[in-house]
Amino acid sequence: MADALIVITLLLVAASATAAVAQRDPARQALVLSFMGVLLAALFTVLQAPDVGLSQLAVGSALTPLLIMLSVRKVRRRGRAKKETE
């Protein structure tokens, strides 16, 4: 049973990583990356590493996508401001 759960979680992680790469919009990539972080946290928990899973949950599914979204927002604002001044 545990082996099947590990395989299913690994397949979901691989599918979400592929989906993150396939996205063109950086904002959507960040959302898919957040989902992948949750799946990785679940995988680490299934592999009996709950401390690593909690770290992944905090960093991989919350902090990193947040920083990406803030960066994308700032770049898009600069692009709009630059277009308006030209």
Side-chain angles (χ1 to χ4, degrees), residues 72-86:
V72 167
R73 182 178 174 194
K74 187 164 191 152
V75 167
R76 286 184 179 168
R77 279 188 177 178
R78 279 190 185 170
R80 286 186 203 144
K82 197 178 262 190
K83 284 182 183 179
E84 290 175 3
T85 58
E86 291 177 352

Side-chain angles (χ1 to χ4, degrees), residues 1-14 39-40 42-49:
M1 179 64 182
D3 291 337
L5 191 57
I6 291 171
V7 170
I8 290 170
T9 312
L10 279 172
L11 290 174
L12 288 173
V13 168
L39 289 174
L40 278 172
L43 177 65
F44 290 138
T45 304
V46 167
L47 292 174
Q48 298 179 355

Side-chain angles (χ1 to χ4, degrees), residues 3-72:
D3 291 337
L5 191 57
I6 291 171
V7 170
I8 290 170
T9 312
L10 279 172
L11 290 174
L12 288 173
V13 168
S16 64
T18 304
V21 171
Q23 294 296 319
R24 301 286 246 164
D25 184 29
R28 288 184 182 176
Q29 283 178 341
L31 291 175
V32 175
L33 184 66
S34 177
F35 181 68
M36 188 178 79
V38 171
L39 289 174
L40 278 172
L43 177 65
F44 290 138
T45 304
V46 167
L47 292 174
Q48 298 179 355
D51 53 339
V52 180
L54 285 173
S55 297
Q56 176 62 31
L57 194 60
V59 175
S61 64
L63 189 61
T64 302
L66 176 66
L67 290 174
I68 292 171
M69 293 292 282
L70 291 173
S71 300
V72 167

